[in-house]
Amino acid sequence: MNDPRRFAPATARNREPILEVLRRFVPAEASVLEIASGTGEHAVFLAPRLEVASWQPSDPDSDSRRSIDAWRAETKAERILPAIALDVSGPWPPLAIAPDVIVCANMTHISPWRACLGLLDGAAAVLGPGALLYLYGPYKRDGRHTAPSNEAFDASLRSRDPEWGVRDLEEVTRAAEERGLVLAEVVEMPANNLSVILRRAPLPTT
């Protein structure tokens, strides 16, 4: 019988640094929604170590969802829910549990810009005041790449799909602010990646 689990080599390299950042921001017993969960390796590593109440993985790709659920079964991770189909560029499905935190790693550059905007729209709609949106991946700063390797990676992405590419952090945070998501912190990570922490702004008082 074929093993449906997928393996992403980058996960083994970045999961510990991501965990250290999330430990600062994710409260114990939080409900987490993960966007573009991919193989599912992040979910099974992070969820038990963060001691979350629930971790909802999601992905628009059916093979990825099978991998996520296979990892979930393999590790007997009780706090991880079955993967759901969620394409952030379209309408979001109803969520069984309202998230306290949304985690999205390595999606914004391997997707069209509309997916990034859809992520921000959806996060603004489902997160309560003060709740967290965590983004991880490579970003340009002030329109410039932070390393030659990121510039080469950007060119490679765009050669595969002209709608893909390393995003400009200021453009992302500007779009987030337009949707009521305020930049809280940027953390420099290994391999020229960034952790971007956004919070849902309090609702305006009348």
Side-chain angles (χ1 to χ4, degrees):
M1 182 176 180
N2 291 332
D3 184 353
R5 290 178 302 162
R6 291 179 167 185
F7 298 83
T11 302
R13 297 193 296 268
N14 63 35
R15 63 187 185 181
E16 290 281 1
I18 289 174
L19 174 63
E20 290 309 305
V21 174
L22 289 178
R23 276 180 168 152
R24 294 173 47 208
F25 293 98
V26 177
E29 298 302 309
S31 297
V32 177
L33 168 64
E34 185 184 15
I35 301 295
S37 300
T39 64
E41 293 169 279
H42 273 147
V44 297
F45 179 81
L46 295 170
R49 289 165 177 80
L50 292 170
E51 299 182 350
V52 298
S54 65
W55 185 288
Q56 176 63 77
S58 71
D59 205 281
D61 177 66
S62 59
D63 287 340
S64 292
R65 294 196 299 275
R66 281 191 286 273
S67 176
I68 295 163
D69 288 337
W71 274 109
R72 174 175 171 264
E74 173 73 18
T75 57
K76 299 179 173 60
E78 296 178 356
R79 302 179 188 193
I80 301 175
L81 305 175
I84 61 171
L86 199 167
D87 181 348
V88 293
S89 62
W92 287 32
L95 300 172
I97 301 173
D100 303 305
V101 178
I102 295 176
V103 170
C104 181
N106 290 323
M107 185 206 79
T108 59
H109 55 285
I110 313 179
S111 60
W113 176 241
R114 65 178 179 275
C116 182
L117 297 180
L119 170 62
L120 299 175
D121 285 334
V126 303
L127 291 175
L132 180 81
L133 170 61
Y134 172 84
L135 306 177
Y136 170 86
Y139 289 90
K140 292 185 285 186
R141 305 197 77 169
D142 297 317
R144 297 180 179 180
H145 289 288
T146 60
S149 58
N150 280 9
E151 185 172 8
F153 182 44
D154 184 40
S156 173
L157 289 170
R158 295 180 187 278
S159 70
R160 293 164 59 190
D161 189 323
E163 291 194 277
W164 293 4
V166 175
R167 307 301 174 191
D168 187 277
L169 179 61
E170 287 69 28
E171 188 174 6
V172 173
T173 56
R174 186 164 50 247
E177 288 177 3
E178 291 171 355
R179 291 157 173 80
L181 297 162
V182 179
L183 180 65
E185 191 170 336
V186 177
V187 182
E188 293 189 3
M189 305 290 281
N192 303 304
N193 290 301
L194 298 175
S195 283
V196 182
I197 295 90
L198 300 158
R199 287 197 181 276
R200 185 72 168 88
L203 297 174
T205 57
T206 57

